[in-house]
Amino acid sequence: MITETKKPSLKALIESTNIPETLVRAAVRQMGGWESFKERAPDITRHGISGGFHGFIYYSDTIAFARRNRKAILELATQQAEDFGSGLVEMIKGFSCMRDSTEAEIIEGLAGNTDETQVPNALAWYAGEEVARAYCDAFDPQ
C-alpha cells in the first residue's frame, strides 16, 4: 500500500502494481482518462465492470481493447493463474461471464483464432477490473 501522504497519480499507480504499465495506461485511457478512472475505480472494484462503465460497454470497444492489449492482458492473466495455482483456461472459465463457455472456445478465443466475442470481452473486463482493483488497493479510496 502506498503511504497516505502520497497523492493518487497514474505514475504512483504504475509503481504500486505488477500489472504491465502498458495495460494500466490503456485501461485508464479506455475509461476516459485519469479523472474519470479515479471516479469509477471504486464502483468497478465493488460491483464489477459489467455494470456499464465508459469504454467497457460495447463489444466494439471491449474487443478492440482486448486485441490492442492482448499481450499485456495474457501476461497478467498467466501470472495471476500461476499465483492462484490454476491454469489460464481454468481461471478464465471461472469468470462469471465465461461459465457457459467450453474450454475449446476459451482456447480459441485466447489464440485469437475466432470471431467469437465472449473471450475478448471477458479479457477486456478482466483487465479493467484488475487495474481498478490495483488503484483501490494502492490508494484505499472509500
Side-chain angles (χ1 to χ4, degrees), residues 22 24-34 54 69:
T22 57
V24 173
R25 289 182 182 283
V28 168
R29 190 172 39 255
Q30 186 81 1
M31 286 186 210
W34 181 245
H54 177 79
N69 298 287

Side-chain angles (χ1 to χ4, degrees), residues 63 67 108-109 112-120:
I63 292 170
R67 285 186 180 143
E108 286 295 309
N113 296 336
T114 180
D115 290 333
E116 192 269 336
T117 58
Q118 283 301 100
V119 173

Side-chain angles (χ1 to χ4, degrees), residues 52-126:
F53 290 90
H54 177 79
F56 291 89
I57 298 170
Y58 303 105
Y59 283 141
S60 58
D61 295 330
T62 59
I63 292 170
F65 177 87
R67 285 186 180 143
R68 279 192 312 270
N69 298 287
R70 183 176 177 275
K71 182 179 177 186
I73 294 170
L74 291 179
E75 178 184 328
L76 174 64
T78 299
Q79 183 59 55
Q80 201 169 63
E82 287 176 14
D83 292 347
F84 294 155
S86 71
L88 178 60
V89 174
E90 177 185 1
M91 183 181 87
I92 291 171
K93 184 139 176 73
F95 296 173
S96 61
C97 62
M98 295 302 297
R99 290 201 174 112
D100 294 332
S101 298
T102 67
E103 287 187 12
E105 290 169 332
I106 294 170
I107 291 167
E108 286 295 309
L110 288 171
N113 296 336
T114 180
D115 290 333
E116 192 269 336
T117 58
Q118 283 301 100
V119 173
N121 186 68
L123 293 175
W125 282 357
Y126 161 74

Side-chain angles (χ1 to χ4, degrees), residues 14-29:
I14 290 166
E15 291 171 353
S16 73
T17 184
N18 65 345
I19 297 172
E21 179 178 346
T22 57
L23 189 55
V24 173
R25 289 182 182 283
V28 168
R29 190 172 39 255

